[in-house]
Amino acid sequence: AGHEVVAYDRSAEAVQSLAKDGAEPANSLEDVRGKLDSPAIWWVMLPAGGPTEDTIAAIGEGAKDGDIVIDGGNTFYKDDIRRSKLLAEKGVHYVDVGTSGGVWGLERGYCMMIGGDVDTVNLLDPIFDALAPGLGTIP
């Protein structure tokens, strides 16, 4: 779809697997930051709770005005509201993109529930369009 991905995970094996699929590998969040254009778009896909909180806080420490943080997990909405306000103080945009579709999502399609300010969401639309499974048929 023409998008460039810089991939980081605590597991070096996971990063190398993504690199084989064309992602640019990174070995830390700081390394990711150095490889992203401005504004940086950070898509976080982690379990709700501590892993997401810690990662978004770390990204927020080095984020610059105009950067975008996307939480692609299924976080409690009040946590998203809180994080959005904290990041906004630094001029960083926050978009919540919860996903739904269960174990059948890959085959039948999944739903992205997108929440954020209109201008930021519009800027991200090409990414969402590339990820959207389309209408298709349901077996």
Side-chain angles (χ1 to χ4, degrees):
H3 301 289
E4 296 178 17
V5 174
V6 178
Y8 168 70
D9 189 286
R10 291 183 295 180
S11 163
E13 295 82 23
V15 173
Q16 290 310 311
S17 176
L18 292 168
K20 288 178 185 173
D21 288 333
E24 172 76 23
N27 57 27
S28 67
L29 290 176
E30 295 79 20
D31 189 25
V32 171
R33 172 73 237 179
K35 294 179 178 186
L36 293 176
D37 293 332
S38 288
I41 301 172
W42 299 83
W43 191 304
V44 178
M45 292 292 292
L46 292 168
T52 297
E53 288 292 337
D54 294 346
T55 301
I56 292 176
I59 291 169
E61 290 292 319
K64 298 181 176 139
D65 184 52
D67 284 355
I68 302 168
V69 175
I70 303 167
D71 177 8
N74 288 322
T75 301
F76 184 55
Y77 76 98
K78 289 185 178 182
D79 291 334
D80 288 315
I81 293 168
R82 176 181 44 76
R83 286 193 294 260
S84 178
K85 289 178 181 177
L86 287 172
L87 291 171
E89 292 173 5
K90 295 185 72 171
V92 176
H93 305 281
Y94 185 88
V95 176
D96 171 36
V97 183
T99 55
S100 180
V103 296
W104 302 279
L106 186 59
E107 295 174 5
R108 293 184 175 181
Y110 53 89
C111 175
M112 291 182 286
M113 298 160 283
I114 302 167
D117 69 85
V118 173
D119 290 338
T120 303
V121 171
N122 286 343
L123 178 73
L124 298 170
D125 267 348
I127 297 171
F128 301 141
D129 286 344
L131 294 171
L135 295 176
T137 58
I138 297 175

